[in-house]
Amino acid sequence: MSSKELLNMIGQGEHQTQDFKFAITDSKKIARSLVAFANTDGGRLLIGVKDNGNIVGVESDEEYYMIEAAAKKHCQPAIPFDTIKWEVEGKTVLEIVVKKSKRRPHRAPDPDGQATVYHRVKDMNMVANRILIEVWKKEREGTGALLKIKYAESKLLTYLEINGYITFSKFCGMANISPRKAEKILVNLIHMKVLEMDFTESQVFYKINTKPQLPDSNEDVILGDF
């Protein structure tokens, strides 16, 4: 592997599957990045690179032990990772590669020390909401889903066809249902790939999945009971 390959990666900037770290001084903080990658699409940390892409280098052994502590001690469950050492311009850059996990949701300490689920949205690590966490749990359990298209589901899908997206509170009010029931409906629809979630820094939106998939053989769709 040549330094040119590393420079090409750095030239992409920070994004959904790539993050830069100038240095690692807090293993709990780095655990949040590891968890966010593992819970989402996987990704890589480039240690010894500033946010603007400038290479400053690291003391690789010390950095590695900090990351190992973050992955094993502060990530729940622990997160495996691969390491690649790059030498460029007389400096060492440590690449930490995390794969998308089949054991999600993983948790890491928040700034107050509470175990929290994070996920990756573009170049940010964000706290996952209950609906996303429940979707992951369904995926991990491998259980089938039963989708009943009743009044609330029909009203939701009709609204989305016209308006494009909806918030959780809007869905509760529009369908006149409790937050608990709204959550269950959204989890099932997302799990069955009917809906998808769109995250911003301040809000979560729900919309029709633009790349729908057919349900698995152990998942049923029932129409009626409007």
Side-chain angles (χ1 to χ4, degrees):
M1 295 181 291
S2 68
S3 59
K4 183 178 180 180
E5 185 177 349
L6 172 64
L7 295 175
N8 286 338
M9 288 192 296
I10 294 174
Q12 298 171 15
E14 295 179 310
H15 51 70
Q16 180 83 9
T17 58
Q18 178 166 283
D19 200 5
F20 300 155
K21 296 296 180 185
F22 167 68
I24 298 178
T25 58
D26 185 342
S27 58
K28 292 182 180 179
K29 186 175 181 179
I30 205 68
R32 295 197 281 271
S33 292
L34 299 178
V35 161
F37 281 138
N39 281 339
T40 315
D41 299 318
R44 59 176 171 257
L45 290 170
L46 296 179
I47 315 298
V49 180
K50 288 186 174 181
D51 289 344
N52 61 8
N54 287 342
I55 298 174
V56 294
V58 297
E59 296 294 334
S60 59
D61 290 341
E62 181 179 350
E63 303 290 338
Y64 176 84
Y65 292 127
M66 290 283 286
I67 294 164
E68 187 176 45
K72 293 183 177 180
K73 182 178 179 180
H74 299 303
C75 295
Q76 306 171 9
I79 293 174
F81 63 89
D82 294 317
T83 307
I84 301 172
K85 185 186 294 187
W86 298 87
E87 300 293 339
V88 58
E89 301 172 1
K91 300 171 184 175
T92 299
V93 172
L94 199 61
E95 179 184 356
I96 304 301
V97 181
V98 177
K99 295 181 180 180
K100 179 178 178 179
S101 176
K102 295 181 180 180
R103 301 179 69 193
R104 62 184 187 178
H106 293 264
R107 290 172 169 79
D110 69 7
D112 296 323
Q114 298 297 315
T116 303
V117 178
Y118 291 89
H119 66 128
R120 187 79 174 171
V121 180
K122 297 181 180 178
D123 61 349
M124 299 180 294
N125 300 330
M126 298 180 63
V127 175
N129 67 5
R130 281 174 49 87
I131 292 173
L132 183 57
I133 293 171
E134 290 303 315
V135 170
W136 289 341
K137 287 180 179 179
K138 276 185 171 290
E139 292 175 352
R140 188 179 63 189
E141 292 165 0
T143 56
L146 181 63
L147 176 58
K148 295 182 179 180
I149 306 298
K150 295 186 176 182
Y151 172 79
E153 290 85 350
S154 177
K155 195 169 181 66
L156 171 62
L157 295 175
T158 300
Y159 181 93
L160 290 176
E161 288 178 358
I162 297 172
N163 297 280
Y165 63 89
I166 195 170
T167 63
F168 181 79
S169 58
K170 176 68 176 179
F171 175 40
C172 291
M174 178 194 68
N176 193 27
I177 56 177
S178 68
R180 184 175 180 179
K181 184 173 181 179
E183 180 179 299
K184 184 176 181 180
I185 290 172
L186 290 171
V187 168
N188 281 336
L189 289 172
I190 295 167
H191 177 56
M192 295 193 73
K193 313 301 183 185
V194 177
L195 299 186
E196 60 183 353
M197 306 172 75
D198 190 5
F199 300 92
T200 70
E201 290 188 54
S202 59
Q203 186 64 275
V204 180
F205 299 97
Y206 302 88
K207 59 185 182 180
I208 300 292
N209 190 349
T210 56
K211 298 179 180 179
Q213 301 175 12
L214 291 174
D216 293 336
S217 58
N218 63 337
E219 296 178 335
D220 300 313
V221 178
I222 298 178
L223 303 177
D225 296 332
F226 293 100

